[in-house]
Amino acid sequence: MAEQARFDQMGYYDPEKLVRVDTTLPSTGWMDTPVAIRPGTYIYPVKPKHLEYLGMPFARQWAPADPDWKLPPNWKEIILDGIRERLDRFRSFKLFMDICVRCGACADKCHFFIGGGDPKNMPVLRAELIRSIYRRDFTVAGKLLGRMAGARELTPEVVKEWFYYFFQCTECRRCSVFCPYGIDTAEITMIGRELLNLLGIGINWILEPVANCYRTGNHLGIQPHGLKDTLEFFAEDIETVTGVKVNVPINKKGADILFVTPSGDFLADPGTFTCMGYLMLFHELGLNYTWSTYASEGGNFGLFTSHETMKRLNAKIYAEAKRLGVKWIMGGECGHMWRVLHQYMDTMNGPADFLEVPVSPITGTRFEHARSTKMIHIVEFTADLIKHGKLKLDPSKNDRIKVTFHDSCNPARAMGILEEPRYVIKSVCNHFHEMPANTIREKTFCCGGGAGLGTDENMEMRLRGGLPRGNAVKHVRDAFGVNHLAAMCAIDRATLAPVCEFWAPGVRVTGIHELVANALIMKGQTERTLNLRQEPLGEEAGETAHE
Amino acid sequence: MTLESLLLEKRADIVRGWIDRTLALFPASTGVFLRTTEDRFDNPVGEAIFSHMGPLFDALLENAPREAVEPHLDPIVQIRSIQDCSASEALSFVFLLKDVLRQEAGDALHDSRGEPLREFDGRIDRLALLAFDRFIGFKQKVYEIRIKEIKNSVSTLLKMSNLTCDDPK
């Protein structure tokens, strides 16, 4: 009967047959599951001209979806030599290759794994992609026992796998928090990317900004006159909103403070409003500071490329501080910039013995923790101002805003700036609500677009990675009516806007100093009725904002 | 006994079977994670599957209108719309319910005349079509977000050049 039945007859659905249908995936081991590289699943490769400009090797046209990636003839030797060199140079890398016991504590902590479910995005397995090569070529057990010891041969497929997965890690280090050995998977990703760069394999969204930064001083390639126009344009908008014409000091020799911020704040909403906030704050304080058209980038995509590239891009900050003769340096609201400045700058391009330990000219506070780097974060500076009562603030101006705070991975998890941003936000906003404890502070979930992944061709990948963060934002939106998410990182301000729009519609992204500026009472201001976005300020709101 | 009352009686087994089959769409180790990690913020995908598939089945049983189905369909389809799989893979979980029904209520279904089951299959098919609508809606949202991000990334240039135009709404 079953054989003769039509699809709309009962007999067509033979229950016996149906239960035999196997809907499980074929279970091959990870080494035997090759990566499927399809358009829409990868970030576009670097254009040859950028590699040439930077003097990086093997510039060529190639496409990730092509079977042949046009690897140089001795590509294998280059990679193995590259690993050998890095094992000698970086003790951390050697340790991380050897000490993992595969306990799995990190496995379910990665936002890409949580959102996407691909086991190779488990940090332990992502690291195994390199470790398996290390075992085979650099350990006796691996040489003798091969697969039994978790070793495998280096093939072009392995290189493709590295490209796919090392550009699906945002180097956020959430996994490291849970590793009992303290293995920093971000550093493994960094080495993986360095090795790929040796073969001319990188992504355009990182290396074009790197080339721009090397050429013009910032990732976006804004030239000096362009930067001047932009800041003056902001000043005009500020005058419209406040009636106050703010100073825009640029390349001012003899200023006390050099101010450096990520260039995303110059061009991209909503970072632009945060940038206006800096201008207003410094003007109100009468601070003797300067912007620079040379050191016009706080971010450093060299961090996502190689240690050498990071050093080259970072060098301009101390060089400019020296040229202008400032006393110390202040950084704007940026995430990975802070890791570079705090963790690497001093040893890469220091000592900055021509600078002074930062002292706030307004409060007299001496920032001892920065006595070596001579650079502080603006949120530390502003928190200190508020603590000493040096700002006239009217938090009710932000009463339309119910805000939560996203701890950016680098300032929070890597550098421990946890309290200052909260203190500042609570001082300028009456409605603040934390997200759940396992999604903030050192356990914060990444935006999904850090470490150079914030481009648009991988939007689905970013939204997968952004799911855990978006899910927590949705929770505070539904529970407390939160309508704004504050973040002190330029990449966050760009990448969390899509994450919120997709997972928690109605929640807008803001920088902290945008909120400060809205609440700031300036000398000589007209009655403030508009915020920096030129929307109504004040109390009567209640409605959820829509982008 | 009507089909509905039979399915209601076996609801727990059917929903469990449907969830099991849906989890089996993921790699084995991922399935374990989705099943065992209880915190909703550490495991939003598992949470969506476990908390919405039961109510989704109930909505089918009640032949509920679209507005009552969507709140339980959307969380799952939205996640599937941005995971690394084809559209057919993403929405196959809907059709798995047909298999589960026959597995869990197979004997009883043999005794029935087939008509009620075919009617219920029709509900599942309509759910699949609704899931397709929502899936496309989420994909479209992704592309709108892409365009918006590109505009936002150069917003100052657009404003300085007077090149902005927004929906007056």
Side-chain angles (χ1 to χ4, degrees):
Chain A
M1 180 187 160
E3 284 73 23
Q4 295 154 1
R6 291 196 339 249
F7 71 93
D8 58 348
Q9 291 177 321
M10 180 59 203
Y12 183 82
Y13 297 104
D14 178 355
E16 291 306 312
K17 258 192 194 168
L18 281 168
V19 296
R20 287 202 302 273
V21 175
D22 181 10
T23 51
T24 55
L25 297 175
S27 61
T28 48
W30 69 268
M31 286 191 196
D32 301 314
T33 310
V35 59
I37 294 185
R38 300 188 299 271
T41 63
Y42 55 82
I43 302 176
Y44 299 154
V46 58
K47 291 179 197 163
K49 67 176 181 182
H50 301 311
L51 288 182
E52 282 159 8
Y53 187 83
L54 292 163
M56 291 170 69
F58 303 116
R60 64 189 184 280
Q61 286 287 353
W62 64 282
D66 286 349
D68 180 8
W69 284 18
K70 301 176 189 169
L71 299 178
N74 59 337
W75 66 271
K76 210 167 179 171
E77 189 186 338
I78 292 170
I79 290 286
L80 293 177
D81 285 349
I83 294 177
R84 187 172 297 110
E85 187 198 329
R86 281 158 186 78
L87 288 169
D88 287 342
R89 272 177 69 194
F90 303 110
R91 183 161 169 71
S92 55
F93 180 48
K94 174 97 173 82
L95 268 175
F96 297 162
M97 288 294 99
D98 282 329
I99 61 175
C100 174
V101 293
R102 279 162 282 178
C103 68
C106 64
D108 55 0
K109 305 304 186 293
C110 171
H111 49 290
F112 281 114
F113 174 71
I114 293 172
D118 182 343
K120 285 186 188 175
N121 275 327
M122 292 178 178
V124 55
L125 197 38
R126 203 187 286 118
E128 284 292 303
L129 302 180
I130 287 190
R131 231 178 244 131
S132 54
I133 305 303
Y134 163 76
R135 286 202 195 95
R136 186 179 185 279
D137 290 281
F138 298 89
T139 69
V140 176
K143 278 178 188 160
L144 291 176
L145 300 172
R147 273 189 169 224
M148 282 173 65
R152 65 170 173 169
E153 193 186 349
L154 179 59
T155 65
E157 291 309 308
V158 171
V159 174
K160 292 180 183 181
E161 200 175 42
W162 285 4
F163 174 75
Y164 193 68
Y165 288 102
F166 289 133
F167 289 102
Q168 268 188 78
C169 167
T170 47
E171 302 182 1
C172 80
R173 304 167 89 227
R174 188 169 193 266
C175 49
S176 310
V177 172
F178 299 89
C179 175
Y181 289 90
I183 294 174
D184 187 344
T185 309
E187 293 201 11
I188 296 177
T189 294
M190 287 175 190
I191 297 290
R193 292 184 181 186
E194 278 199 25
L195 294 170
L196 289 169
N197 277 316
L198 297 176
L199 301 179
I201 295 173
I203 60 173
N204 202 64
W205 209 73
I206 290 177
L207 287 163
E208 181 167 331
V210 167
N212 281 342
C213 198
Y214 199 48
R215 187 184 302 114
T216 62
N218 57 71
H219 289 157
L220 297 172
I222 305 169
Q223 295 175 356
H225 57 284
L227 182 55
K228 184 169 182 291
D229 282 353
T230 302
L231 292 173
E232 285 171 355
F233 179 71
F234 291 161
E236 285 172 24
D237 270 8
I238 292 169
E239 194 173 0
T240 304
V241 170
T242 66
V244 177
K245 190 164 176 56
V246 298
N247 291 330
V248 185
I250 297 174
N251 299 338
K252 179 181 166 189
K253 288 201 173 180
D256 289 340
I257 301 163
L258 168 64
F259 182 70
V260 183
T261 200
S263 62
D265 286 351
F266 302 136
L267 275 193
D269 283 349
T272 48
F273 308 116
T274 303
C275 195
M276 291 182 206
Y278 308 146
L279 283 164
M280 288 167 63
L281 176 71
F282 298 156
H283 177 88
E284 180 61 19
L285 294 171
L287 207 62
N288 181 19
Y289 83 108
T290 185
W291 300 80
S292 163
T293 54
Y294 173 63
S296 49
E297 177 63 65
N300 189 329
F301 277 21
L303 176 69
F304 313 140
T305 306
S306 68
H307 290 80
E308 289 74 17
T309 313
M310 171 171 49
K311 179 177 173 168
R312 281 165 91 181
L313 299 189
N314 174 259
K316 64 180 181 285
I317 295 182
Y318 279 155
E320 183 69 337
K322 195 167 197 173
R323 185 182 76 87
L324 295 175
V326 300
K327 292 178 182 165
W328 53 275
I329 311 167
M330 177 155 41
E333 289 185 26
C334 185
H336 75 277
M337 155 181 139
W338 208 238
R339 188 169 185 186
V340 175
L341 300 176
H342 240 54
Q343 195 168 329
Y344 298 104
M345 179 163 77
D346 193 22
T347 43
M348 280 189 313
N349 291 310
D353 45 15
F354 55 92
L355 294 173
E356 298 174 10
V357 177
V359 174
S360 169
I362 314 298
T363 66
T365 298
R366 188 177 155 92
F367 293 95
E368 282 292 346
H369 65 286
R371 66 179 170 275
S372 176
T373 60
K374 315 290 199 296
M375 183 156 183
I376 65 165
H377 194 288
I378 189 170
V379 171
E380 299 173 297
F381 180 73
T382 305
D384 175 63
L385 291 172
I386 296 172
K387 183 82 180 167
H388 285 88
K390 298 295 182 186
L391 296 181
K392 283 178 81 176
L393 299 166
D394 177 5
S396 73
K397 293 289 184 200
N398 282 321
D399 274 357
R400 282 172 181 258
I401 290 176
K402 292 189 172 72
V403 65
T404 190
F405 177 62
H406 162 78
D407 289 277
S408 305
C409 304
N410 282 297
R413 190 156 35 231
M415 298 295 124
I417 308 187
L418 302 167
E419 302 305 332
E420 290 88 341
R422 288 177 167 80
Y423 178 71
V424 173
I425 291 170
K426 287 178 194 170
S427 302
V428 299
C429 294
N430 288 322
H431 308 294
F432 173 73
H433 301 279
E434 288 278 18
M435 285 182 278
N438 50 339
T439 72
I440 55 170
R441 295 181 178 263
E442 70 278 5
K443 290 179 186 164
T444 185
F445 276 117
C446 179
C447 63
L453 309 189
T455 181
D456 68 290
E457 64 264 23
N458 63 333
M459 185 56 82
E460 289 181 11
M461 183 204 291
R462 282 172 49 192
L463 293 173
R464 283 202 286 282
L467 167 55
R469 170 45 76 225
N471 185 48
V473 176
K474 181 169 177 288
H475 169 70
V476 287
R477 183 198 67 178
D478 296 345
F480 309 113
V482 161
N483 56 19
H484 278 70
L485 172 77
M488 57 170 187
C489 162
I491 288 180
D492 277 334
R493 281 190 289 277
T495 59
L496 283 172
V499 165
C500 288
E501 192 165 350
F502 194 72
W503 296 113
V507 178
R508 304 207 294 190
V509 178
T510 176
I512 294 176
H513 280 77
E514 182 185 343
L515 301 175
V516 171
N518 282 336
L520 185 67
I521 299 168
M522 299 179 78
K523 290 184 279 289
Q525 71 177 20
T526 51
E527 194 193 349
R528 296 275 294 278
T529 56
L530 298 175
N531 65 19
L532 292 179
R533 303 185 190 205
Q534 304 200 20
E535 301 158 345
L537 264 175
E539 298 166 12
E540 71 275 23
E543 245 178 75
T544 303
H546 286 281
E547 284 254 287
Chain B
M1 185 182 249
T2 64
L3 183 73
E4 265 91 354
S5 55
L6 174 73
L7 295 181
L8 194 58
E9 200 172 89
K10 292 191 169 274
R11 179 188 184 278
D13 292 335
I14 292 170
V15 171
R16 190 180 309 120
W18 196 17
I19 290 175
D20 284 348
R21 296 251 184 148
T22 300
L23 293 178
L25 296 168
F26 295 88
S29 49
T30 307
V32 172
F33 160 71
L34 295 176
R35 184 184 297 281
T36 57
T37 304
E38 286 182 5
D39 185 279
R40 56 186 283 209
F41 299 106
D42 286 336
N43 180 17
V45 178
E47 201 265 343
I49 291 171
F50 277 95
S51 58
H52 291 289
M53 289 188 84
L56 200 51
F57 178 68
D58 296 339
L60 279 180
L61 269 184
E62 293 160 14
N63 210 3
R66 183 182 179 122
E67 304 75 51
V69 175
E70 279 179 359
H72 300 295
L73 184 61
D74 276 5
I76 303 169
V77 173
Q78 184 177 20
I79 287 169
R80 294 300 273 161
S81 75
I82 47 87
Q83 288 187 323
D84 189 8
C85 56
S86 65
S88 58
E89 286 170 310
L91 300 182
S92 61
F93 77 93
V94 175
F95 296 100
L96 295 177
L97 182 57
K98 291 190 179 181
D99 298 4
V100 175
L101 287 183
R102 283 158 177 81
Q103 188 177 23
E104 296 299 335
D107 295 342
L109 295 176
H110 268 305
D111 297 337
S112 71
R113 293 199 314 276
E115 191 65 29
L117 185 69
R118 199 159 64 235
E119 197 273 333
F120 200 83
D121 278 344
R123 294 186 201 178
I124 297 175
D125 292 340
R126 285 196 293 281
L127 179 67
L129 291 173
L130 178 57
F132 183 68
D133 277 352
R134 303 303 297 153
F135 181 83
I136 291 296
F138 287 120
K139 284 286 184 195
Q140 190 174 334
K141 187 77 188 163
V142 171
Y143 301 132
E144 283 170 10
I145 286 173
R146 272 185 79 171
I147 292 167
K148 195 166 177 177
E149 182 175 80
I150 292 167
K151 286 185 182 173
N152 278 350
S153 69
V154 288
S155 61
T156 305
L157 292 180
L158 297 176
K159 283 184 219 164
M160 284 167 79
S161 317
N162 247 335
L163 288 173
T164 53
C165 177
D166 295 321
D167 183 347
K169 176 166 69 76

